[in-house]
Amino acid sequence: MAQDGSHHHGERTTTRPPTPLPHQRPGAAADGSFDLPAWACAPRPEAEPGVYRLGYRRLDPERAEAAKVATWPLLLRAGLNAVVAWLAFVYGTQLVLHLIVITVWVEHPTETLVTVVGLSVNLAVAAAVITVFGRMGRWPEVWRRYVSPLLSRTVTHEVRAEENAPAVAEAVRRQDPWDGLRQGGAAVAAARLDREAVGDVDYVRIRRAWESAQADPVFVPAFSEQVAARGASAFAHPSETRELPGRAEQHDLLLGQVRLGTAQDVPKNPLSHRAAGFALDPALLGTSVLAVGPAGTGKTTRLARPVAEALCLQALSGTACAVVVGADDADLGPDAWYDVVIAPGDPSSVYGLDLYGAAGDPDEAAARLAEALLPDELTARAENARTALQQVVGPFHAAYGRYPGVRELRSLLGGDPDALAALVKVLGTAGRLALHERDLEYRERQRDRADDPGALLADRLALLDRPAFEGAFATDGTGRPAFAMRVLDHPLRVRVKLPERSHPEAARMLSRLVVGQFVQAAGARVDRSLFAGLVVDDASAALDATAVRGLQRMRGANAGAVLLLRTLVDLPEALRAPLFGAVGCRMAFPGIAPWDGRLFSEAWGTHLVQETAVTHTPDTSGGVIRRAGRVGRKALSGTTAQTESVTTRDVERLRWSPSDLAHALPAGHAVVSLTAVSGEQVPPLLVDLRG
């Protein structure tokens, strides 16, 4: 096998049309402009999950196997079979006629009878010979490869499919992408769009608005009026952005696919995926993706960034919302890609983060915040910590009508007498002291105990109560506008920049908090028409038991996550197996540790393969002459004559062994298994992610 995973079998035929180069936009014209008709009307046949459907052509299994035979062996075999077939035809007809004469022939046959019998015998023998020797000599493959193209050019003056591709593309280009509008009563809108430069984002956005308008004919005039007035800018994203600056990846927004690479033409890959483009879409992202590989193997560049870009484009087209989490220096796209950029620790950041953003009530808000604050080694105290936080968050919300800020919460948990006295006073004034008095008294009794979880939480909150985070988590309106994760029913693009270099432990807490809030908010949405996508560049600190349980619930909520890990060892051992079970798509990058590869290998299981065993034994057959010949051969050459025995059997083998995953993957590749939301599965694929 070659380094890139391809096989070399001499000359091979092309069974699939060429795909665009990595730097080409789908639908790009020769002058670099976007050709909307060619893109919108291009064929997108049904295909298995993971196949990039734009321009895809399904392979014929028989033709694919035949195409692996090199030219000269194919022609030599066809020629030899043709010679043998001619001899079989000549002597076969004579034999059949002779048998007819000696068995059923009449004494005085007429000329007509002789002619009919002769032609019938010739045709029958010819059909049998062609059937037998044509199959053995692969004559249909020779005809398809060489004879048919030659006849097409010399007899009918037709060109080959590859040469005819520009004409086919021109025929597609002449189709009308706005035909649905014209037929549905929005001809004026279609005429305006004909005069506009419409991109793929505009087309998908307007088409989505048109589908919504068709649900009730009353809205069709309003749709036409909007398009006639604004053209391609109609129904634009609230930011009025219609394209991403520096867009580089291949995306098919009509299907929501992002092309990440090419499935290799190797026996381990299913035939339907070999040499086809590899892509992810919401049906696959909805089961969540777990990617594991060391730093520098391309997880961010070749997976996280393209998926983030695709989700941002889908948000601009009104079909998705995106939350992208990573270090402030991670290559997840420029800030111009996003509507909201949250950068705690950066004084120039415009937005802050609502620490309680996904909660529906104070107890839920306190529980999620407590889980985010505790490190992995203190999860055993999570229940006591949740209770302690609920005992102060609930009364504070009842007293002030808002949640406490970091400094206020730290004072209450630390048992500051002045803070508690002020809270009791406000509750008494509001007439709610009786409802929360028991919680406050319990907190007061816990204050001086050595195992007080409040003191632990106060110490953890001190990591967020730093001058660098001033105004980033304010709840009283004095700080930056706080982003709340509950707005996932809007097509927003959110980037969370974590201060991993300056405040690593605070960054770990914030990543857990953001992921937990996303899982909560995605499952609690009432309007699930938008796909909610989460991309986490380093999820080692972002996952806990609650988040892992929530991943599976997101499958039915039209939401999903892409989680990147350097190694599974970064996770607590109790989370590794549940995480593998919670995600539907798994990716192994080159250089993963063997113990990480073991989990992938066990998850992917075994399959049946044909194993051939060759056994050599000394040859003892024959009489005296053959034995004497073997003795002489051994004396002259020093080798013993042997017989060869070949045994073929079906055995179970791992699809990918831990050793293969750890040491045999080429650079720039990954092994990917897929599961769609519908339950359809694709076995592990070897994918070239370099374009």
Side-chain angles (χ1 to χ4, degrees):
M1 186 166 64
Q3 181 69 11
D4 62 353
S6 62
H7 285 211
H8 300 283
H9 300 279
E11 182 180 341
R12 300 178 58 176
T13 58
T14 301
T15 55
R16 205 187 305 273
T19 54
L21 295 175
H23 62 274
Q24 290 179 318
R25 288 270 304 277
D31 59 356
S33 61
F34 183 73
D35 191 344
L36 176 64
W39 176 82
C41 303
R44 293 171 172 85
E46 291 294 328
E48 286 75 8
V51 173
Y52 187 65
R53 290 167 51 185
L54 180 59
Y56 171 73
R57 183 179 297 173
R58 186 178 296 275
L59 288 176
D60 183 351
E62 292 185 2
R63 287 191 175 186
E65 289 299 321
K68 295 180 179 179
V69 181
T71 298
W72 287 113
L74 178 66
L75 294 178
L76 180 60
R77 181 180 297 174
L80 290 175
N81 277 272
V83 172
V84 177
W86 172 252
L87 295 175
F89 171 72
V90 171
Y91 291 105
T93 53
Q94 295 179 7
L95 177 61
V96 173
L97 287 173
H98 181 70
L99 291 175
I100 291 175
V101 168
I102 64 176
T103 55
V104 297
W105 194 246
V106 296
E107 292 187 5
H108 301 288
T110 62
E111 291 186 6
T112 303
L113 179 60
V114 172
T115 303
V116 170
V117 171
L119 288 175
S120 300
V121 170
N122 279 272
L123 289 175
V125 173
V129 166
I130 291 174
T131 301
V132 174
F133 293 97
R135 181 181 296 273
M136 290 192 299
R138 301 198 179 191
W139 294 353
E141 179 66 13
V142 174
W143 176 274
R144 186 182 65 83
R145 281 202 209 181
Y146 309 107
V147 181
S148 180
L150 181 62
L151 292 177
S152 297
R153 290 194 295 270
T154 59
V155 178
T156 64
H157 302 289
E158 294 180 0
V159 296
R160 299 178 63 182
E162 292 83 355
E163 299 170 359
N164 197 36
V168 174
E170 181 61 29
V172 171
R173 192 175 292 112
R174 285 196 296 267
Q175 299 183 37
D176 183 8
W178 307 115
D179 183 64
L181 275 65
R182 299 185 211 278
Q183 301 298 328
V188 175
R192 171 65 191 271
L193 293 171
D194 287 336
R195 302 191 298 269
E196 295 268 340
V198 183
D200 53 352
V201 176
D202 300 325
Y203 180 79
V204 174
R205 187 185 66 249
I206 294 173
R207 176 173 168 170
R208 174 180 168 85
W210 172 245
E211 291 172 352
S212 300
Q214 281 186 307
D216 190 342
V218 175
F219 297 112
V220 173
F223 171 88
S224 300
E225 182 180 352
Q226 171 81 256
V227 175
R230 302 196 61 190
S233 301
F235 310 103
H237 187 266
S239 65
E240 293 295 330
T241 303
R242 295 168 51 194
E243 186 57 278
L244 293 183
R247 172 180 171 179
E249 303 298 333
Q250 292 188 57
H251 306 285
D252 184 11
L253 295 182
L254 209 55
L255 299 177
Q257 289 190 312
V258 49
R259 190 175 191 273
L260 299 177
T262 304
Q264 295 295 275
D265 187 5
V266 294
K268 282 192 173 185
N269 284 352
L271 186 62
S272 58
H273 288 74
R274 294 180 193 174
F278 172 74
L280 296 177
D281 57 29
L284 295 172
L285 295 175
T287 63
S288 296
V289 180
L290 174 65
V292 181
T297 53
K299 300 190 305 300
T300 302
T301 305
R302 297 180 177 129
L303 175 62
R305 180 184 169 110
V307 171
E309 182 177 333
L311 290 173
C312 289
L313 287 169
Q314 292 173 34
L316 294 181
S317 64
T319 59
C321 58
V323 177
V324 180
V325 184
D328 49 10
D329 57 351
D331 183 18
L332 296 171
D335 291 352
W337 282 10
Y338 302 96
D339 303 308
V340 177
V341 178
I342 305 168
D346 183 359
S348 63
S349 177
V350 177
Y351 291 93
L353 179 66
D354 187 348
L355 298 180
Y356 314 90
D361 60 76
D363 283 349
E364 184 182 359
R368 187 59 217 158
L369 181 57
E371 292 171 354
L373 291 176
L374 292 183
D376 296 333
E377 58 270 17
L378 294 178
T379 51
R381 302 184 63 183
E383 188 61 41
N384 291 334
R386 282 194 293 268
T387 302
L389 205 57
Q390 288 168 345
Q391 288 168 346
V392 296
V393 170
F396 190 97
H397 188 271
Y400 296 98
R402 62 177 178 86
Y403 291 112
V406 172
R407 190 161 299 171
E408 294 166 325
L409 189 57
R410 183 185 174 192
S411 299
L412 291 172
L413 289 170
D416 184 354
D418 295 336
L420 286 172
L423 179 57
V424 169
K425 181 178 179 181
V426 175
L427 283 172
T429 304
R432 298 185 177 182
L433 181 58
L435 184 62
H436 299 282
E437 187 174 14
R438 184 177 301 174
D439 282 342
L440 294 177
E441 289 178 353
Y442 187 82
R443 282 287 343 120
E444 181 70 23
R445 291 196 301 270
Q446 292 285 317
R447 183 176 59 180
D448 297 327
R449 294 184 55 175
D451 61 345
D452 179 19
L456 171 63
L457 291 173
D459 291 340
R460 300 292 294 173
L461 281 168
L463 297 172
L464 300 181
D465 189 16
R466 304 291 304 157
F469 299 139
E470 186 67 29
F473 313 113
T475 61
D476 56 359
T478 60
R480 308 167 196 168
F483 169 77
M485 198 67 72
R486 65 176 67 93
V487 296
L488 292 183
D489 51 356
H490 299 283
L492 280 176
R493 302 164 295 160
V494 182
R495 170 75 162 97
V496 181
K497 293 185 172 183
L498 301 175
E500 289 190 353
R501 294 184 181 275
S502 56
H503 301 83
E505 191 58 32
R508 292 171 63 88
M509 288 193 297
L510 293 174
S511 65
R512 273 198 299 272
L513 182 65
V514 171
V515 171
Q517 287 186 355
F518 180 91
V519 172
Q520 269 187 321
R525 290 185 303 168
V526 177
D527 181 7
R528 297 178 175 179
S529 58
L530 298 181
F531 178 79
L534 171 69
V535 178
V536 185
D537 184 53
D538 181 6
S540 57
L543 296 173
D544 55 21
T546 303
V548 170
R549 286 193 300 268
L551 288 176
Q552 275 198 325
R553 291 197 297 269
M554 290 198 300
R555 296 190 184 195
N558 196 25
V562 177
L563 308 171
L564 276 59
L565 288 173
R566 293 186 179 91
T567 174
L568 291 167
V569 177
D570 291 342
L571 294 177
E573 187 173 358
L575 284 183
R576 298 170 195 171
L579 177 61
F580 257 74
V583 299
C585 304
R586 307 175 183 97
M587 299 183 68
F589 282 76
I592 66 171
W595 42 88
D596 289 342
R598 180 178 57 81
L599 282 175
F600 280 97
S601 184
E602 291 175 355
W604 288 334
T606 61
H607 65 145
L608 287 176
V609 296
Q610 279 195 342
E611 184 180 78
T612 301
V614 180
T615 304
H616 296 277
T617 57
D619 187 3
T620 59
S621 63
V624 176
I625 297 177
R626 292 189 63 181
R627 292 180 181 179
R630 289 196 292 268
V631 171
R633 173 184 171 182
K634 183 175 182 180
L636 293 173
S637 64
T639 60
T640 303
Q642 294 181 330
T643 60
E644 183 180 277
S645 175
V646 179
T647 305
T648 302
R649 59 177 181 173
D650 290 335
V651 295
E652 280 196 358
R653 290 285 183 267
L654 292 171
R655 295 182 184 273
W656 284 89
S657 69
S659 178
D660 289 340
L661 293 173
H663 306 295
L665 289 187
H669 291 62
V671 180
V672 190
S673 66
L674 303 173
T675 302
V677 175
S678 61
E680 191 174 359
Q681 295 184 336
V682 176
L685 304 170
L686 177 63
V687 178
D688 186 352
L689 298 175
R690 297 171 298 184

